[in-house]
Amino acid sequence: MADEGIFSTARPKALRPASLSVGAHVEGILDEDIPTIRALIKVWRDRFPGNIIKSGYYFAKYHIKDFGISIPPRILTQVHACVGWPAKAVRSLADLTVFDGYDLAVDDYDVNALANRMALDTIIPEAIVSAYTHGCSFLTVTGGDDGTPVVTPRSAEYSSALWDGTHNRLAAVLTVNDANSNGAVTAWNVFLPGKFYEVMRDGRAWKAVKTDTRWPEPLAVPFISDPQLSRPLGRSRITPTLRALTDMAFRTYVRMEASAEFYSVPKLWFLGASQDAFDKDTWSNLVSSINGIPGDDEGNKPTMQQVTQASMTPHSEMLKTIAMSVAAETNLPVDSLGITLTNPTSAEAMAAAERRLTRDADRQNRLFGFQLEKLMRMCVCLRDGLSSPPESLDGLRAVFSPTREVSDGARGDFYLKVSQVNPTYATSTVGLRRLGLSSDEIASLQAATSKATATSALDMLLNGGANADNDGGREPSATGAE
């Protein structure tokens, strides 16, 4: 089985969902699987426009939604998205999920080394950002040339899935694998229980290659953001509410820009002066040191009045109101949205705001961890040719770095107090993780400890042998020699 990624080359044109369709029969695909594949294609085509909109807000590629009242057309056609709150909502939560390897009491299958070979440290962050952006993402598993499984992150933009509510797992997954320069899909994969289809375009028809996986589930696991009974495949962090608030903030910035443009040049009114008093270069007249306008024939002198610049305070106050609504929607601190309040936020208020976000991260990490554990069992079985995971992998646990910032002093104090009560805690992996050490640091420390213990044991044996030799060569004592 081979998998070349989502797209091997850049696409100059947008992807065309209508280009992916299948008939009643596809060469290489069992007829019994065609209805499931059709359902997957329908889900992808229906969800594709909404996923593109969410990506647009994440990458700040959205357009202004104008009411046609206060923004001049000349400015309206020149502005670009300038509010990055959707990306902030996604990245702030995703940054709290840092995968730190697997924990297994007896690692007979070398799972952490396998995770390193599959580069999970680089794959997982991409999948998590995509899951928070679109509601879900997928990690698909295929076989590599050297026997090491290949794990590929899949965005919901180019994937679809059916959910098996009875068994609470994926029923089938489709991933778009490649497209041509015109945006037409040319390759896609389908993951079903016990089988895997690799489909490519052959002229005007599709041609598939079927591979039996001997696995009771599709070779894919989902990363799901905020799963619910009505939405088992999750809900995006870029909600309709957040998109509407982002549009409001964008309009507010543009109105501020239009107001600044209007008042950037002094607006002067000369009452009683004729049009002939001004030449074509009005700006030179405004900035000249000395200017004068003669009176009329009757001796009436023109008077000057200047339009006062409007205050920007209403716009900035509206931005603060919108930012507080965004903070309530996303559990982000208001200060992280680029808004400085009049009254500085207290340390307690900032901690409470951050704690709401870390609670969300802790809950999501448990969900991600369950899928990562399933992924590793799947990869071990695929590598070793097993049809079911061995019982020794039941204790496998995915580990994430702590979401809350705790000082080194507080960690050390807690570690010391617990170790005094339970000495085993001091050298356990749990205790060292609570102390703030990473998986690599723990492995290095344990290796050094094992080496030191082996060296000490060897020294004891050598010293014991030397002492025995000295005792054996000593002459008998005079006492009792008779």
Side-chain angles (χ1 to χ4, degrees), residues 57-320:
Y57 275 87
Y58 178 81
F59 291 107
K61 298 295 183 181
Y62 54 91
H63 300 285
I64 188 170
K65 296 179 175 62
D66 181 41
F67 296 148
I69 299 175
S70 60
I71 303 176
R74 181 176 297 181
I75 293 180
L76 191 65
T77 57
Q78 298 296 323
V79 296
H80 299 280
C82 58
V83 182
W85 290 343
K88 175 69 73 171
V90 170
R91 293 309 301 263
S92 295
L93 187 57
D95 289 343
L96 296 177
T97 300
V98 180
F99 177 65
D100 198 22
Y102 291 94
D103 187 16
L104 186 61
V106 180
D107 191 1
D108 294 331
Y109 294 91
D110 208 7
V111 294
N112 281 302
L114 179 59
N116 291 332
R117 287 197 296 271
M118 295 187 299
L120 291 187
D121 287 340
T122 60
I123 292 173
I124 291 172
E126 299 174 0
I128 289 173
V129 170
S130 182
Y132 286 146
T133 302
H134 303 107
C136 67
S137 62
F138 306 95
L139 295 177
T140 61
V141 182
T142 53
D145 296 334
D146 60 349
T148 301
V150 177
V151 179
T152 307
R154 300 288 186 171
S155 168
E157 283 183 283
Y158 311 112
S159 308
S160 64
L162 300 178
W163 187 255
D164 184 357
T166 303
H167 299 93
N168 196 31
R169 66 189 188 191
L170 292 175
V173 177
L174 179 144
T175 62
V176 175
N177 203 46
D178 209 347
N180 60 20
S181 59
N182 294 320
V185 178
T186 58
W188 43 283
N189 300 334
V190 177
F191 299 85
L192 299 172
K195 66 190 77 169
F196 162 79
Y197 288 109
E198 193 174 7
V199 189
M200 299 186 67
R201 184 174 291 280
D202 184 14
R204 294 186 177 182
W206 297 108
K207 185 176 181 179
V209 176
K210 174 177 170 290
T211 303
D212 293 326
T213 63
R214 298 186 302 171
W215 192 255
E217 303 178 31
L219 290 180
V221 296
F223 276 2
I224 304 175
S225 169
D226 191 18
Q228 301 172 7
L229 288 176
S230 59
R231 293 185 176 183
L233 287 176
R235 187 173 69 105
S236 170
R237 289 274 291 173
I238 307 177
T239 61
T241 302
L242 179 58
R243 297 199 296 269
L245 292 170
T246 302
D247 292 335
M248 291 175 61
F250 190 14
R251 286 193 298 268
T252 303
Y253 273 116
V254 175
R255 285 194 292 265
M256 293 176 68
E257 181 76 12
S259 180
E261 286 289 332
F262 182 78
Y263 289 104
S264 60
V265 178
K267 296 298 183 293
L268 303 178
W269 291 84
F270 291 91
L271 304 180
S274 64
Q275 186 71 24
D276 298 336
F278 305 95
D279 58 19
K280 294 182 179 180
D281 194 359
T282 306
W283 179 252
S284 297
N285 291 337
L286 292 174
V287 300
S288 296
S289 301
I290 301 176
N291 286 300
I293 299 177
D296 57 13
D297 296 337
E298 299 178 358
N300 297 323
K301 298 180 180 179
T303 60
M304 184 192 74
Q305 292 185 0
Q306 182 174 355
V307 178
T308 305
Q309 181 176 353
S311 173
M312 293 294 180
T313 302
H315 300 295
S316 61
E317 291 297 326
M318 185 173 182
L319 273 177
K320 290 180 181 179

Side-chain angles (χ1 to χ4, degrees), residues 21-71:
S21 62
V22 297
H25 177 73
V26 175
E27 182 181 353
I29 298 180
L30 299 178
D31 292 342
E32 62 188 32
D33 294 329
I34 292 295
T36 301
I37 294 176
R38 281 184 169 179
L40 288 168
I41 294 174
K42 184 179 185 304
V43 170
W44 177 66
R45 294 171 64 173
D46 292 344
R47 300 281 182 170
F48 184 79
N51 287 325
I52 291 297
I53 291 174
K54 294 169 187 173
S55 295
Y57 275 87
Y58 178 81
F59 291 107
K61 298 295 183 181
Y62 54 91
H63 300 285
I64 188 170
K65 296 179 175 62
D66 181 41
F67 296 148
I69 299 175
S70 60
I71 303 176

